């Protein structure tokens, strides 16, 4: 017996008719009758007796059903698994993101993802780019998110979107007329600047920008995350140069001011996945929302 024969046979045994089997298999009644006839031909004996419009299983069919019961249960489990995989709910999607993305961009994308695919689930973690690379190589996560361009033979880097650079300062730091005017590096001279670690991708860009302009800010505090830089600005410690996600999320914050930065460089948001293990469908769906979030 072929798999299709077994499916139809089990459906007829369950419902007692070809019409009932056709409904649960989502095929036509004539198709059920034809497949059932082929099944009987393949085994060499009748499976059902036709009596007053009903199908009565033969003794051979009853014995066959007992042997097929474990197979039917396994087939149902396979169908449930396939349905779960199509909905992205078979197992949680494991994601690691750098702090700026984990605290600002990622939550908005995950919120949309959960509304669109309520059966999906995920495990979120915060890590630096090198830690994300290691987690991918060790199969500890399926998706990494970073703003640092990574080059590794076993990892795939996918650009998702661009990201601007902004200057942020405590409220009333700059006159309102300056808020739409891009900040020039020279304006940082003698200003209390909270710097980003120069080993960070953004930190390196900003350090070179300031050095090339010959500016000399007062940099007494250096941090490793943009979120921490923003918190220090909110505490009125000084000003900082951060990505636009950190600067503008959540919108309408009244304790800081935001200005664009007059710099040619920009940042990109990248998805990192393993070369030999393509991302699951759930990751592809989340990446779509990461591209769309404003």
């Amino acid at each position: 017996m072929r798999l299709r024969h077994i499916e139809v046979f089990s459906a007829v045994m369950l419902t007692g008719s070809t019409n009932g089997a056709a409904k649960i298999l989502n095929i036509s009644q004539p198709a059920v009758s034809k497949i059932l006839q082929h099944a009987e031909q393949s085994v060499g004996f009748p499976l059902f007796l036709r009596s007053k419009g009903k199908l009565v299983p033969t003794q051979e069919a009853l014995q066959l059903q007992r042997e097929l019961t474990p197979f039917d249960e396994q087939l149902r489990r396979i169908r449930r698994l396939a349905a779960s995989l199509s909905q992205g709910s078979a197992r949680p999607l494991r994601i690691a993101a750098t702090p700026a993305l984990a605290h600002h961009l990622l939550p908005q994308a995950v919120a949309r993802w959960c509304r669109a695919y309520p059966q999906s689930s995920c495990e979120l973690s915060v890590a630096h780019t090198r830690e994300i690379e290691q987690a991918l190589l060790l199969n500890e996560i399926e998706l990494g998110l970073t703003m640092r361009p990574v080059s590794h033979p076993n990892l795939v880097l996918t650009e998702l979107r661009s990201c601007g650079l902004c200057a942020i300062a405590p409220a009333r730091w700059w006159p309102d007329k300056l808020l739409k005017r891009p900040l020039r590096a020279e304006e940082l001279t003698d200003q209390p600047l909270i710097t980003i670690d120069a080993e960070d991708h953004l930190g390196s860009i900003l350090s070179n920008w300031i050095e090339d302009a010959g500016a000399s800010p007062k940099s007494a505090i250096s941090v490793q995350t943009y979120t921490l830089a923003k918190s220090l600005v909110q505490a009125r410690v000084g000003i900082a140069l951060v990505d636009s996600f950190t600067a503008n999320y959540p919108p309408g914050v009244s304790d800081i001011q935001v200005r664009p930065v007059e710099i040619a460089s920009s940042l990109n948001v990248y998805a990192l996945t393993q070369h030999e293990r393509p991302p699951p469908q759930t990751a592809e769906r989340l990446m779509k929302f990461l591209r769309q979030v404003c």
Side-chain angles (χ1 to χ4, degrees):
M1 293 182 74
R2 296 180 179 178
L3 178 59
R4 194 56 168 165
H5 295 160
I6 295 172
E7 286 184 307
V8 169
F9 169 72
S10 298
V12 173
M13 291 292 289
L14 178 65
T15 62
S17 69
T18 54
N19 281 330
K23 289 180 180 179
I24 66 173
L25 293 174
N26 198 29
I27 60 177
S28 67
Q29 186 273 335
V32 170
S33 297
K34 186 175 181 179
I35 295 171
L36 189 59
Q37 183 181 9
H38 289 166
E40 291 180 321
Q41 292 172 352
S42 71
V43 297
F45 53 81
L47 296 171
F48 298 93
L49 301 175
R50 281 71 176 174
S51 175
K52 298 180 181 180
K54 294 183 179 181
L55 294 178
V56 180
T58 63
Q59 289 300 315
E60 292 85 355
L62 292 172
Q63 185 175 349
L64 187 61
Q65 183 190 35
R66 287 193 292 270
E67 293 298 322
L68 288 175
T69 297
F71 178 79
D72 284 339
E73 293 175 353
Q74 184 177 14
L75 191 58
R76 282 193 290 271
R77 288 197 297 270
I78 292 172
R79 288 196 187 103
R80 287 196 297 269
L81 175 60
S84 294
L85 290 172
S86 69
Q87 293 296 319
S89 58
R91 78 171 189 183
L93 172 65
R94 298 172 299 175
I95 309 163
T98 52
L101 299 176
H103 292 295
H104 305 106
L105 178 66
L106 183 59
Q108 299 176 75
V110 168
R112 295 189 183 188
W113 181 71
C114 289
R115 287 194 294 268
Y117 305 100
Q119 300 303 315
S120 298
S121 59
C122 62
E123 296 175 357
L124 306 178
S125 59
V126 182
H128 292 290
T129 301
R130 289 177 183 173
E131 297 168 331
I132 291 174
E133 291 180 68
Q134 191 69 14
L136 279 165
L137 296 172
L138 293 175
N139 294 329
E140 295 174 348
I141 59 173
E142 286 80 43
L143 177 64
L145 300 171
T146 179
M147 285 188 279
R148 177 192 289 269
V150 171
S151 178
H152 192 288
N154 295 327
L155 298 177
V156 177
L157 187 73
T158 303
E159 183 179 324
L160 297 179
R161 59 184 300 162
S162 61
C163 170
L165 298 175
C166 294
I168 57 176
R172 299 180 300 280
W173 190 274
W174 296 304
D176 290 345
K177 64 181 180 181
L178 293 181
L179 296 184
K180 292 186 178 180
R181 185 183 302 172
L183 178 81
R184 294 176 292 105
E186 292 82 358
E187 294 180 64
L188 296 174
T189 297
D190 294 330
Q191 293 292 299
L193 179 66
I194 301 159
T195 59
I196 306 295
D197 186 349
E199 292 188 5
D200 178 90
H201 181 58
L202 173 58
S204 176
I205 291 174
L206 296 174
S207 177
N208 291 335
W209 176 64
I210 293 171
E211 184 177 341
D212 290 345
S216 53
K218 297 177 180 178
S219 303
I221 298 177
S222 176
V223 298
Q224 289 189 330
T225 70
Y226 317 148
T227 304
L228 178 55
K230 183 176 181 178
S231 296
L232 289 168
V233 170
Q234 290 172 307
R236 305 193 69 82
V237 173
I239 60 178
L241 304 172
V242 298
D243 64 283
S244 57
F245 299 127
T246 300
N248 295 305
Y249 186 83
V253 174
S254 60
D255 57 355
I256 67 168
Q257 292 178 308
V258 180
R259 289 178 64 182
V261 174
E262 192 178 80
I263 186 173
S265 302
S266 63
L267 295 175
N268 292 311
V269 177
Y270 300 100
L272 268 178
T273 54
Q274 197 183 102
H275 188 273
E276 299 298 328
R277 188 164 51 98
Q281 189 177 40
T282 48
E284 295 285 358
R285 289 168 173 168
L286 180 60
M287 288 161 62
K288 179 186 72 173
F289 289 116
L290 285 164
R291 290 185 176 98
Q292 295 173 350
V293 170
C294 296

